[in-house]
Amino acid sequence: MQRLLRFWCRLFQDLVLPSSLLLYCWLIKACYILLRLRMANLLPMRNIMPHMKNWSCIITVQEKQQITSSMGTPTRKQKFVFYDSEGSRVEGIIFNDDIPRMSQILQVYKKYRISNAEVRPIPSKFQTSELTVQWVISSRTVIDEIADDDEVMPVKFCYSKFTDLVQYMDDKTRSVDVLGVVISALGRKIVIKNSRQSDVQKSVLLNEESQPVLLSLWDSFRANEGQEIVSKLHSYPVIIARRIKVNNYNGVALGTWFDSAILVDPPVQEARELKNWALRNTKLIKEIVEKKDYIKYNPQLSLKSDQKTTWICNVTSSQKTIWVKAQFSFEHIIQKYWYMSCKNCCRATAADYQIEFTCNSCKERHPIVPRC
C-alpha cells in the first residue's frame, strides 16, 4: 500500500496535468502522509503509558473473560488480556452499553490494530494478576483486524501440577492455572448456590501423568466455553484454565469463578504437545473414562506429602480441611443411610421411590432416586 502511494505521488509530480488531476494527485499524497503519520504512531505495548494520546499498537487477544457486574453498583464490564509481538501484556476492559457494540469485534487469538483507547493504571485493590495497566475500549476506539501469520502465541504460562493442587484447596485468596486435555463431560445440573440457582457442568481434565481431575464450569462458562468443549470432545480439546479455584469435592476438584478464563485449544506449544500425547494414547484415555476413576477419591492428589493428622479434640470450626486418624462405629445401626432426591439436582424430596415428579428446585421433571 505504501509503495503504491509513493509511486503515484512521484508520477504525478513529474507530469503536467489538468487541475482536476492535480487535485486528485494532492488527495492521494495527503492519504499517503496520513498513513505515514499513523504508522509513525505505531508503538510497542511497553511504550504506551497511562493518559497517552495519539497512539496505535498491534495486539493479539489472549483472553476474553465473561461479562460480570460490580458488587453494589449497576456497572457491567468485560475484561480481556492483550499481548504484542514482544510478549508484553495489558488488560483491556469494556463497560456497560459498549459491551454489545465492541465485544463481538474482539475475538480470542485474533490480531488487531488498536488506536487511541483510554490508557489508565489499574488501582492496586483491583489488580487480580500481574497486569498493572488497563485499556478502556469504547465505541470511539479504533479497532482494525489484521492478518495473523503467527502460529504460536509468544506468551508463557506458569501451570500448577495436579499433584500440587492440594496446597491451594479452599483458599479463597489464591487461584491456579492448569493445563489439561478434556476427556469427558458429565451431565449439566441445576443447583442452588449462594441462595440462587446456578447452572454447572463438570469436565474431566487429564494430564500426561494420567491423573484425572474434575473441573466445574459454572453459568456463563458452561454456556460459552463449555459448549465449545463438548462440541470438540471427539478430538480431545486441550484447555488452559486460568485463575481457577481449588475446591474440596471428594478430594481435589477445580471450579471457575468470576475472574477465571478458559482458553480452548490455544495456539501454545505446550497445548499442542499435550494434544499429540492424547491422540497417541486414546486407548489409555478410553479406559480411564470407562472406569470413571475421576469420581473416586484419589489420595495421590488429595494428600500432601507432609500432611499431619489432628486430634479430634483439637479440631476447630474455622478449619475447612483436616485429617484425622480414627476408628468409627455406629451407635444405632438401624437407621437410614440415604435420602430420596431429585435425579437432576439432588435436592431432597418427600416423594416416593421411582415416582416421577416436577422438582421444586430445578423445575425439571425426573424420577426420584435414593442418594447416599
Side-chain angles (χ1 to χ4, degrees):
M1 181 66 178
Q2 295 181 54
R3 292 180 180 177
L4 182 62
L5 288 171
R6 194 181 301 117
F7 167 78
W8 282 107
C9 289
R10 288 176 180 172
L11 178 62
F12 287 147
Q13 285 176 342
D14 295 336
L15 295 176
V16 178
L17 301 171
S19 58
S20 60
L21 287 178
L22 283 173
L23 178 61
Y24 185 60
C25 169
W26 281 109
L27 286 173
I28 292 180
K29 191 170 184 178
C31 290
Y32 171 67
I33 292 171
L34 288 173
L35 180 60
R36 288 292 302 273
L37 287 173
R38 185 178 182 185
M39 294 302 293
N41 289 331
L42 189 62
L43 300 174
M45 191 177 285
R46 57 182 169 80
N47 290 345
I48 299 172
M49 298 291 111
H51 314 300
M52 181 180 286
K53 306 292 184 182
N54 301 321
W55 57 267
S56 293
C57 183
I58 294 177
I59 63 93
T60 302
V61 180
Q62 174 187 308
E63 295 179 22
K64 183 175 182 177
Q65 299 179 22
Q66 307 299 324
I67 300 171
T68 60
S69 299
S70 299
M71 293 184 63
T73 71
T75 302
R76 297 168 66 247
K77 59 183 180 294
Q78 185 174 28
K79 291 183 180 180
F80 299 76
V81 175
F82 304 142
Y83 72 88
D84 65 4
S85 58
E86 296 181 350
S88 300
R89 294 192 295 172
V90 71
E91 180 181 279
I93 191 167
I94 309 177
F95 290 105
N96 299 324
D97 293 340
D98 288 323
I99 295 175
R101 298 187 189 123
M102 305 303 294
S103 177
Q104 292 302 316
I105 298 175
L106 296 168
Q107 296 299 321
V108 69
Y109 314 141
K110 289 192 175 183
K111 184 175 286 187
Y112 303 88
R113 177 186 285 111
I114 293 182
S115 303
N116 301 328
E118 179 188 349
V119 185
R120 63 188 191 184
I122 305 175
S124 57
K125 64 178 180 179
F126 296 126
Q127 293 176 15
T128 55
S129 63
E130 70 280 7
L131 305 179
T132 59
V133 176
Q134 186 179 75
W135 294 358
V136 180
I137 306 297
S138 69
S139 56
R140 294 177 295 178
T141 306
V142 181
I143 302 177
D144 297 313
E145 184 177 349
I146 59 178
D148 186 7
D149 298 327
D150 297 334
E151 293 186 357
V152 178
M153 288 198 298
V155 294
K156 298 294 183 182
F157 297 95
C158 183
Y159 311 110
S160 296
K161 295 181 179 179
F162 286 9
T163 51
D164 293 336
L165 294 177
V166 65
Q167 62 185 304
Y168 301 97
M169 187 184 292
D170 290 328
D171 188 340
K172 293 184 178 181
T173 65
R174 297 195 293 176
S175 57
V176 298
D177 293 355
V178 297
L179 172 70
V181 57
V182 182
I183 62 172
S184 182
L186 309 186
R188 169 193 174 194
K189 286 188 176 182
I190 305 295
V191 299
I192 305 300
K193 182 181 179 184
N194 298 329
S195 300
R196 72 178 184 89
Q197 185 171 290
S198 290
D199 198 0
V200 63
Q201 184 171 32
K202 290 182 172 64
S203 295
V204 184
L205 295 186
L206 191 73
N207 62 3
E208 291 187 34
E209 297 175 346
S210 301
Q211 293 283 6
V213 65
L214 289 175
L215 168 64
S216 295
L217 300 176
W218 290 92
D219 298 321
S220 54
F221 287 99
R222 188 213 65 82
N224 298 317
E225 290 87 351
Q227 294 285 1
E228 182 180 0
I229 290 170
V230 170
S231 69
K232 293 182 175 181
L233 271 180
H234 63 282
S235 62
Y236 296 120
V238 173
I239 68 169
I240 297 176
R242 304 210 65 206
R243 298 179 296 279
I244 298 295
K245 291 300 183 181
V246 184
N247 305 312
N248 182 8
Y249 178 80
N250 196 24
V252 168
L254 302 172
T256 57
W257 69 315
F258 80 95
D259 196 46
S260 301
I262 305 294
L263 309 182
V264 183
D265 282 333
V268 174
Q269 187 62 35
E270 300 96 318
R272 294 184 175 183
E273 291 174 358
L274 183 57
K275 181 181 281 286
N276 290 334
W277 173 86
L279 294 174
R280 293 193 307 268
N281 292 274
T282 56
K283 185 177 179 180
L284 170 65
I285 291 174
K286 287 179 180 178
E287 290 176 356
I288 294 174
V289 173
E290 290 173 358
K291 290 180 180 178
K292 296 186 178 181
D293 290 335
Y294 47 83
I295 64 174
K296 301 174 184 177
Y297 173 76
N298 185 353
Q300 294 183 26
L301 293 185
S302 302
L303 273 175
K304 297 180 184 178
S305 58
D306 60 345
Q307 183 73 54
K308 295 181 179 179
T309 59
T310 305
W311 292 101
I312 292 176
C313 60
N314 293 333
V315 176
T316 64
S317 59
S318 62
Q319 293 176 276
K320 281 208 165 186
T321 305
I322 56 97
W323 290 92
V324 296
K325 185 177 181 180
Q327 296 178 335
F328 66 91
S329 62
F330 295 104
E331 291 187 2
H332 307 287
I333 195 66
I334 307 301
Q335 57 177 294
K336 199 168 64 173
Y337 296 97
W338 48 268
Y339 68 95
M340 288 301 180
S341 70
C342 169
K343 183 179 179 180
N344 181 57
C345 70
C346 302
R347 302 285 288 187
T349 176
D352 293 328
Y353 179 55
Q354 290 187 332
I355 295 296
E356 191 171 288
F357 85 124
T358 301
C359 179
N360 294 326
S361 297
C362 68
K363 310 302 181 184
E364 293 192 16
R365 191 170 183 81
H366 291 285
I368 298 303
V369 294
R371 181 175 174 84
C372 293

